[in-house]
Every structure is written in structure tokens, then in C-alpha cells.
Amino acid sequence: MSLQQIDGKRLAQMILSGAHHLSNNAKRIDALNVFPVPDGDTGTNMNLTITSGANEVKNIQSTQVYEVAQAFSKGLLMGARGNSGVILSQIFRGFAKGLGKEEVVTTKGLAKAFESAVSTAYNAVMKPVEGTILTVAKDSGNKAVAIAEDETDIITLMEEVVAEAKASLKRTPDLLPVLKEVGVVDSGGQGLVTIYEGFLASLKGEELPEGTSNINMDEMVNAEHHKITQDFMNTEDIKFGYCTEFMVKFEEEKVSKHPFDEEAFRQELSNHGDSLLVVSDEELIKVHIHSEYPGECLTLGQRYGSLINMKIENMREQHTALVGKKENKSKEPVEYAIVTVAMGEGLKELLESLGASVVIQGGQTMNPSTQDITNAIKQANAKKVLLLPNNKNIFMAADQAAELATEDVRVVPTKTIPQGISAMLAFHPDQDLDTNQKAMDEARKNVKTGQITYAVRDTQMDGITIKKDHFMGIADGKIVSTNADKMATVKLLLEKIITEDDEILTVLQGEDGTDEETQALMAYIEEKYEDIEVEVHNGKQPIYAFIFSVE
């Protein structure tokens, strides 16, 4: 089989195949994250990002390559989550730019698109690191350029691109020592390889293996619901009014009459609504869809078995209750606003009490997208916005949102909640934006952060042997203590981060930290560190049983 050129329809099929393959392997990619904390989210972020791009592609009916590529790029840009998602969006932004205004593309045009993808992605990263997704994109892109000199068959070119991407991925531990120490390849690079494998399979008309498991349905549903929870959205703008979730338990008799095909079922349901998510295994189908006629969706599912765990909610009523009645006239923008990110109702309340105008629900387990941050900036309704991501994996999405904003938005690169709190305390509304940005940036550098969580696998890092399910103490991003006992781990961590010059310790209790543990901890601190002033807040944050701020 030989293929000399592809049009927009063929490119769209490649994109949807790549997105589907990534979705099926998201959890496997998450597991490659270097840190053994329960927030490995590269696969999740890349999947949610490419899903946003794929949805744009589904909505465009064009046979022209450049129009399909531009739609894909736009969807990726606004749906980008985490640094891996932002880099992925930049790769395909460059890819679309490289295609120019072509209606069809040959091997030379495709090679030019891959080359443009690399340069755009590298330019988007302030300090590019080799041994990452960037390296995999570069090596495979260079191979495409070299092959296209003499090769006119697109399938052959894509086979070479995939082969080189895989080879490059295997080399990542030699370029990035931390990968070799932990014994994994780069997770972002693995994600790109997975997408390219999907592209190639589509070109060859081949089926790909389903992968180890699908991304967690709850995370995907949360991502979709981000889109309708902002209070600047009008209730009447909700096109499909019923959030419909259900499961189908396969019945042999029904499946024998109607053989189940997940992709065909997904396509069929897509005609009945949006925000569609479908995952399945040998026993069950899980469905989430926003539909105007939920019964029609249930009927389609019922062909394969019995319906269980059904939930239908009226989103228009929910949205009205959430945002209340809106005034017809728009409010005048305020001078200043602080937009920040946190996960946990207690942390949200704490940050709001310190002056945050909008707290985006997100963090380790669910990085907000560029669109989420853009929406929050609009919601703040201010001329000047200071944006605090509180997580280094949100930096690139924050920068991207700031560039897209019509307001004057400055990103203060806070890596943790304690840094965010310290930065907020340095804000003065009577100062100009440059002065505030500088003061807040300096303040966030003067706080030490400690975090207590647990390990999701056995590993060894920085000379520390870590056992699965043991607790870990993390000091400013570095694992410094581990123990099977939570409070023993806490004490070891505090010894590492508290010095005789420190004056204030703030304790943020998480979902996995109990009041009894906090009380015992307070007694220990008062005895061990008698000169330090202690504040305690119930942050209710997930993942981290305790977060400590030391100044």
C-alpha cells in the first residue's frame, strides 16, 4: 500500500486515532512519572489536552489539511493542562504552522510540519531540557526531514518517524540522569510516541491494542464540568441540559445480537450530545454525556446489557443555583485581582480570606487547563491580574493564559501553596503592578515548604530507599524522609526544614490528616521547637496529609 498525499479528512482520522490510543494508555504513562507520589499526571494531562483538540477536529467538516490542523491546534491550546499538555499543544501549533495553507500534504509537506513543530515547542520552553518530550519530537522530526528528501510514500515516512521516536524515547534515561536513577523513560516522550503510533495505525488501517487501562472516568468528568461551572457563563448557553451518567453491565445474549464496538458506540452517542466520555472493559461500559434527551442515550446502551448506576442531573437548574440571577448590565472592572489555584475547600477559603478574587479548583491531581485559567481571569473582572499557579506543573498553562488575556496579567511563579500565601501577604493595592509583582516574587522565595504524602511504588531517589505505601516527607520538591509511620515521617521532615532562625510554622491539615494527629503534632512542636510560633488551618487538601510553611 502506498500513499502519496493526505487531505484534511485523512489527517482528521489520524488525529482521532492518536487521541484514542493516548486515552487507552494514559494510566501507563502516568505510572512513568519520576516522583513516586500519588499525583502522576502526565498521561492524564496529555490525554485531556489532546481530547480537547480532537473534539475541535470532530466539529470541523473540512477536507483541507490546514483547516483541520488549525482546528486541532486551537483545541489543544485552550485545553492544555500541565506542562506536558502545554508542550504538546505547542508541538501541534508548530505542526499546523508548518502546513501553511495547504489543502493536501505530501511527505515533504509533512516533514516541514514536523520540523516546524520542533522549533515552535523549543521556543515555547524557557530552558529546554533534553531527555524529554522535546528530544523525542526533535529526533523524530529530524528523521522525517531526512527521509522526505527521497521518499514519497507517507506511510513509509510515518513508519520511520515512529521508529525514531521509539528509539529516542529509549535514549531519554541516558540524557536525563533522574530517569536512569528511577529506571523509567520520559513520560511525556512516551505520550508523544503513543500519539504517533495512533497516526501510523490510522494510515495503515490497523487496529491498535487497547492498552493497560483507561484514564479514570471521574477525572475526565471533572474536566468536562469545569466548562460549565464558571459564573460568567449564561444558563441559557447550555445547549444540552442533562448531565447523564450510566453504566451498562454486559449480557451475553444481548451482545451476541449486537456485538459491542467502543468506538462505534462512542460515535453513535456523539450525535446525542457533547462532553461525551465512554470507557469499557470486559464486563462494563461507563458513559458520561451532556444530552437534551437522556432516555435516548440509555436506550442505546441497553442494547448491550442491563443499566446500572444511572444518574441524570438538570444542569440548567444547577447552574442557576450556582451563579444566581445575573444583572443585565455588566459591572465595571476593578483595578486589581489575584487569581490563584488550590485543591481543597479549606485552602480555597484561606486564600479567599487573604484576598484572592478567584481560586481555581485544581492542583496535583487535576491541573487546570489554559481555558480554565483564561476563564478565571475573565471572571476576576479586573484591569490588572496577578496570577499565582502554586504548582510548577501549571506554570506553562498560566503563561499561555496570560499571553491570551486582554487584561494586564502577571504570573508570579509560586510552586506551592505556602509560596502562594507568602506572595499574597506581600501584595499592596496602592502599589503599581510592577512593584507588586516584584515584591510577591521575592516573598515567595523566603518561605520553605514541607509536604507529607505516600509512595505509590518502590523506588530509590537521592540515596533514599522508598517502599510502596510508606509515607514521604518532601522539602521544597526533594524527598528527604520516609517511614512506614506517618508521624515519624512528619518529625523527620520538620528536622530537615526548621532551623533556629525560623520564627513561624504554618500547618495545613489535609484530608488524610486527622484532628488527633494534628493535636499530637502541636504538642510535639511546642516541646521540640518552643520558640517558634505555630498556626494551624484545615486545608482539606487531597494527596498531602500535611503541608508545612516555614519562615
Side-chain angles (χ1 to χ4, degrees):
M1 179 181 175
S2 179
L3 190 63
Q4 303 300 306
Q5 64 181 31
I6 58 173
D7 62 6
K9 184 178 179 181
R10 200 68 184 261
L11 179 61
Q13 291 170 348
M14 290 168 62
I15 289 168
L16 296 180
S17 176
H20 182 63
H21 193 41
L22 181 63
S23 173
N24 286 334
N25 288 275
K27 284 299 180 187
R28 181 167 66 90
I29 296 166
D30 280 344
L32 292 173
N33 277 13
V34 170
F35 257 40
V37 297
D39 65 351
D41 53 10
T42 300
T44 299
N45 283 335
M46 292 183 76
N47 183 32
L48 293 171
T49 300
I50 200 170
T51 297
S52 178
N55 286 339
E56 288 292 326
V57 170
K58 288 177 184 177
N59 292 332
I60 186 170
Q61 304 298 320
S62 175
T63 59
Q64 299 188 16
V65 159
Y66 80 93
E67 289 186 348
V68 172
Q70 286 178 346
F72 185 45
S73 174
K74 176 189 174 185
L76 287 168
L77 177 73
M78 300 313 294
R81 293 175 187 274
N83 293 341
S84 58
V86 173
I87 293 173
L88 185 67
S89 74
Q90 291 300 316
I91 287 172
F92 285 104
R93 178 179 172 222
F95 184 89
K97 283 165 56 180
L99 291 174
K101 295 289 184 179
E102 298 296 326
E103 296 182 12
V104 297
V105 66
T106 63
T107 53
K108 283 186 169 58
L110 201 57
K112 183 180 178 183
F114 280 123
E115 187 176 36
S116 176
V118 175
S119 60
T120 301
Y122 268 85
N123 289 336
V125 180
M126 189 171 294
K127 295 180 180 179
V129 176
E130 297 301 334
T132 65
I133 184 176
L134 292 171
T135 306
V136 176
K138 178 180 67 176
D139 291 348
S140 56
N142 288 342
K143 174 64 76 171
V145 172
I147 291 293
E149 287 294 320
D150 303 307
E151 182 58 64
T152 59
D153 179 29
I154 286 178
I155 293 177
T156 300
L157 180 135
M158 199 66 219
E159 285 176 336
E160 293 287 345
V161 167
V162 170
E164 182 57 36
K166 289 180 177 178
S168 178
L169 179 66
K170 287 183 180 179
R171 295 192 294 265
T172 56
D174 297 326
L175 298 172
L176 204 55
V178 68
L179 296 175
K180 181 167 281 189
E181 181 182 6
V182 178
V184 296
V185 294
D186 179 66
S187 54
Q190 179 65 72
L192 187 62
V193 167
T194 305
I195 293 167
Y196 285 173
E197 286 177 335
F199 285 5
L200 178 59
S202 174
L203 288 171
K204 298 172 76 173
E206 294 178 351
E207 292 291 326
L208 283 161
E210 284 300 301
T212 52
S213 64
N214 289 284
I215 183 174
N216 182 279
M217 174 69 89
D218 290 340
E219 290 177 342
M220 296 176 77
V221 170
N222 286 340
E224 291 296 334
H225 285 184
H226 272 308
K227 299 172 185 175
I228 65 161
T229 56
Q230 304 296 339
D231 68 4
F232 56 80
M233 180 180 182
N234 294 319
T235 301
E236 56 268 24
D237 291 338
I238 299 175
K239 183 178 179 182
F240 300 102
Y242 296 91
C243 177
T244 307
E245 294 183 53
F246 62 93
M247 296 169 65
V248 180
K249 187 174 183 180
F250 285 126
E251 293 178 356
E252 189 174 339
E253 183 179 347
K254 289 186 175 181
V255 174
S256 64
K257 293 180 181 178
H258 301 282
F260 178 71
D261 179 288
E262 183 178 304
E263 186 56 37
F265 183 52
R266 184 181 289 109
Q267 289 295 330
E268 190 173 21
L269 281 173
S270 68
N271 297 320
H272 296 267
D274 61 12
S275 298
L276 172 63
L277 306 168
V278 178
V279 296
S280 64
D281 57 22
E282 294 79 11
E283 299 178 355
L284 295 169
I285 313 168
K286 294 183 180 180
V287 175
H288 169 277
I289 186 171
H290 296 170
S291 176
E292 195 62 19
Y293 302 101
E296 294 177 356
C297 302
L298 297 176
T299 300
L300 291 174
Q302 211 167 359
R303 290 177 305 180
Y304 306 106
S306 54
L307 298 172
I308 57 176
N309 293 3
M310 291 171 286
K311 184 173 74 172
I312 300 173
E313 296 177 337
N314 187 320
M315 294 191 298
R316 294 187 182 94
E317 287 189 0
Q318 287 180 332
H319 193 264
T320 300
L322 177 68
V323 304
K325 297 290 184 181
K326 290 189 176 181
E327 297 179 6
N328 290 326
K329 60 180 182 179
S330 60
K331 296 178 181 178
E332 285 294 315
V334 296
E335 190 67 21
Y336 264 121
I338 295 176
V339 173
T340 188
V341 183
M343 185 70 85
E345 195 58 38
L347 290 182
K348 179 176 182 289
E349 292 174 1
L350 175 60
L351 292 168
E352 287 174 341
S353 73
L354 294 174
S357 304
V358 182
V359 179
I360 306 168
Q361 286 287 336
Q364 292 299 80
T365 55
M366 180 57 68
N367 297 148
S369 67
T370 301
Q371 182 71 68
D372 292 332
I373 299 172
T374 300
N375 291 348
I377 291 169
K378 290 178 182 176
Q379 183 183 348
N381 193 31
K383 298 174 184 175
K384 305 168 188 172
V385 177
L386 288 152
L387 179 55
L388 281 58
N390 297 340
N391 185 314
K392 64 181 181 180
N393 202 35
I394 303 175
F395 283 4
M396 294 186 73
D399 288 339
Q400 201 157 256
E403 289 177 12
L404 293 170
T406 54
E407 301 82 357
D408 194 347
V409 180
R410 306 292 176 85
V411 178
V412 181
T414 50
K415 296 180 180 179
T416 64
I417 292 294
Q419 284 193 3
I421 291 171
S422 183
M424 290 182 68
L425 292 172
F427 171 73
H428 292 287
D430 56 337
Q431 299 290 335
D432 62 42
L433 189 57
D434 289 335
T435 302
N436 268 311
Q437 182 185 18
K438 184 177 179 180
M440 294 170 79
D441 190 46
E442 285 300 315
R444 62 106 185 165
K445 297 174 183 175
N446 295 327
V447 62
K448 291 179 283 186
T449 299
Q451 298 163 309
I452 296 294
T453 187
Y454 60 91
V456 294
R457 65 172 184 269
D458 292 346
T459 190
Q460 186 158 343
M461 292 194 71
D462 300 320
I464 297 177
T465 300
I466 302 162
K467 297 289 186 182
K468 183 178 183 294
D469 296 327
H470 279 202
F471 293 96
M472 299 182 298
I474 303 172
D476 289 320
K478 184 177 181 179
I479 299 171
V480 297
S481 65
T482 183
N483 197 284
D485 180 76
K486 184 192 298 181
M487 298 313 292
T489 309
V490 169
K491 293 173 183 178
L492 289 168
L493 173 63
L494 292 179
E495 286 179 9
K496 297 284 187 180
I497 61 174
I498 296 178
T499 67
E500 60 183 16
D501 296 327
D502 294 319
E503 300 174 350
I504 301 172
L505 171 65
T506 303
V507 180
L508 302 173
Q509 179 184 320
E511 289 178 343
D512 296 331
T514 67
D515 292 341
E516 291 76 17
E517 288 171 337
T518 301
Q519 290 168 7
L521 178 59
M522 290 294 292
Y524 169 78
I525 293 170
E526 288 175 5
E527 180 181 349
K528 174 87 173 176
Y529 307 98
E530 55 186 19
D531 293 330
I532 202 161
E533 181 183 337
V534 184
E535 289 184 21
V536 179
H537 299 277
N538 190 354
K540 302 177 183 177
Q541 69 272 6
I543 307 295
Y544 299 105
F546 292 100
I547 297 175
F548 301 102
S549 171
V550 181
E551 298 178 80

